[in-house]
């Protein structure tokens, strides 16, 4: 029984780390999976029960704890997890280097996401046809069609002979990634605060810090969301069922950010 408790305690610790709501957790997922794989290795000193449990858990580990692009990208964006063996194995299977893979993910999830916003902004700044009504007078469909074709032709020529913004952005992303991977040092991450690490480098790596905000905001488990639902259940009781939703949001927000709110009001 003692060996079983010691064995399961290691899993409990992994769950506690991944369920934290005070720091980023998704970047640590592959590091902790590597630790679990090491824990599940058979040992000649294991009891029959523990040995069988290890075999069963190891057989289902990849199914229950799969390695995907989100976990790999998040690990690479953390200098303390960038050189994990599990990351190298994932990239070898795809025939890619870290720089190539990270550039692909940043272009896919950051670069392309910026283009629709710019296009939307351009669309909003372009006056609508209703704002400039056509002058009354005879018109023909041929004139409208010719005007439309001319506009499309001008736009095509403009794109052809203008500076390639996408290429400029891609080059900037590649340059940032090379600099980051060359300077990557696990000791630079102090107190396991990966966000502080990137805040200090926001001017040096603007594209990568944007990627960090997009990837590392994802919690590794659903525990934090379930915790909020639990707090909401304790707040909206049968005797407080008429609370306005906005008031409930405020109560939950203060509960989850009590220390921040207290320091904020104390400073004022």
């Amino acid at each position: 029984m003692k060996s079983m408790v010691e064995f399961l305690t290691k899993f409990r610790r992994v769950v506690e780390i991944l369920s934290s709501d005070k720091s980023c957790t998704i970047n640590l997922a592959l590091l902790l999976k590597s630790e679990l794989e090491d824990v599940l290795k058979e040992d000649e000193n294991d009891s029959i029960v523990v040995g069988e449990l290890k075999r069963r858990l190891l057989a289902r580990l990849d199914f229950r704890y799969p390695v995907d692009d989100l976990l790999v990208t998040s690990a690479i964006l953390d200098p303390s997890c960038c050189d994990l063996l599990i990351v190298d194995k994932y990239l070898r299977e795809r025939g890619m280097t870290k720089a190539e893979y990270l550039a692909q993910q940043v272009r896919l999830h950051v670069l392309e996401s910026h283009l629709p916003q710019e296009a939307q902004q351009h669309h909003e700044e372009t006056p609508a046809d209703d704002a400039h009504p056509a002058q009354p007078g005879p018109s023909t469909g041929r004139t409208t069609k010719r005007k439309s074709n001319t506009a499309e032709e001008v736009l095509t020529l403009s794109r052809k002979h203008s500076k390639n913004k996408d290429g400029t952005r891609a080059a900037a992303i590649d340059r940032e990634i090379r600099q980051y991977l060359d300077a990557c040092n696990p000791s630079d991450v102090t107190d396991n605060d990966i966000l502080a690490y990137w805040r200090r480098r926001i001017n040096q790596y603007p594209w990568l810090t944007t990627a960090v905000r997009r990837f590392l905001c994802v919690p590794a488990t659903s525990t934090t969301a379930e915790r909020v639902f639990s707090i909401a259940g304790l707040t909206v009781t049968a005797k407080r069922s008429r609370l306005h939703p906005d008031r409930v949001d405020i109560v939950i927000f203060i509960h989850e950010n009590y220390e921040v709110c207290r320091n904020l009001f104390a400073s004022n």
Side-chain angles (χ1 to χ4, degrees):
M1 181 61 69
K2 182 179 179 181
S3 60
M4 177 68 73
V5 172
E6 292 176 352
F7 171 67
L8 295 178
T9 299
K10 298 175 181 178
F11 283 83
R12 178 181 178 180
R13 183 55 185 154
V14 169
V15 172
E16 289 175 348
I17 295 174
L18 291 180
S19 300
S20 172
D21 57 359
K22 303 300 181 183
S23 60
C24 292
T25 54
I26 194 69
N27 52 305
L28 303 176
L30 292 185
L31 174 64
L32 296 176
K33 181 178 182 180
S34 300
E35 177 62 17
L36 289 181
E37 290 177 343
D38 191 61
V39 169
L40 292 175
K41 291 180 180 179
E42 293 189 29
D43 191 325
E44 59 182 10
N45 297 323
D46 290 337
S47 64
I48 297 177
V49 176
V50 172
E52 180 62 22
L53 183 58
K54 282 185 175 182
R55 285 189 290 272
R56 289 175 179 265
L57 290 175
L58 186 59
R60 299 285 293 175
L61 183 62
D62 288 335
F63 175 77
R64 301 290 298 178
Y65 204 151
V67 180
D68 56 21
D69 288 337
L70 174 61
L71 299 186
V72 173
T73 305
S74 301
I76 296 176
L77 290 172
D78 185 345
S80 60
C81 301
C82 185
D83 294 326
L84 292 176
L85 296 177
I86 194 171
V87 171
D88 292 338
K89 178 182 177 182
Y90 186 86
L91 297 180
R92 280 198 307 270
E93 291 174 351
R94 284 152 184 77
M96 303 179 72
T97 64
K98 287 178 188 174
E100 293 171 345
Y101 177 81
L102 190 54
Q104 179 192 73
Q105 294 300 310
V106 173
R107 291 193 187 100
L108 180 63
H109 297 284
V110 178
L111 178 58
E112 292 186 3
S113 66
H114 280 63
L115 298 181
Q117 295 178 1
E118 294 179 356
Q120 182 179 2
Q121 182 180 3
H122 175 73
H123 176 73
E124 292 175 351
E125 293 175 353
T126 303
D129 293 340
D130 295 340
H132 301 280
Q135 297 296 327
S139 61
T140 62
R142 181 181 302 174
T143 304
T144 304
K145 184 176 181 180
R146 183 184 303 167
K147 183 177 180 181
S148 176
N149 291 339
T150 302
E152 293 178 0
E153 185 177 0
V154 170
L155 181 60
T156 301
L157 293 175
S158 175
R159 290 174 177 172
K160 178 180 178 181
H161 298 287
S162 297
K163 184 178 180 180
N164 186 356
K165 292 184 178 180
D166 291 347
T168 304
R169 291 185 179 125
I173 291 172
D174 292 339
R175 182 171 59 254
E176 285 186 20
I177 290 174
R178 288 195 301 270
Q179 292 175 354
Y180 163 68
L181 293 177
D182 290 341
C184 192
N185 188 349
S187 61
D188 291 339
V189 182
T190 57
D191 298 327
N192 194 31
D193 192 348
I194 186 62
L195 295 183
Y197 170 88
W198 283 105
R199 276 195 297 269
R200 294 192 298 267
R201 292 162 175 79
I202 189 170
N203 294 325
Q204 184 179 1
Y205 306 123
W207 283 103
L208 285 181
T209 49
T210 303
V212 166
R213 287 193 293 268
R214 187 170 293 270
F215 285 100
L216 299 191
C217 67
V218 181
T221 67
S222 61
T223 305
T224 52
E226 293 170 1
R227 193 176 292 133
V228 172
F229 282 119
S230 178
I231 296 169
L234 295 174
T235 303
V236 184
T237 62
K239 294 183 178 180
R240 306 176 70 185
S241 59
R242 297 186 64 184
L243 277 174
H244 193 277
D246 292 342
R247 182 64 59 86
V248 175
D249 288 343
I250 294 173
V251 171
I252 295 175
F253 177 84
I254 294 176
H255 183 279
E256 289 296 287
N257 301 275
Y258 175 74
E259 292 296 331
V260 176
C261 294
R262 186 179 67 175
N263 295 335
L264 179 63
F265 286 109
S267 61
N268 293 333

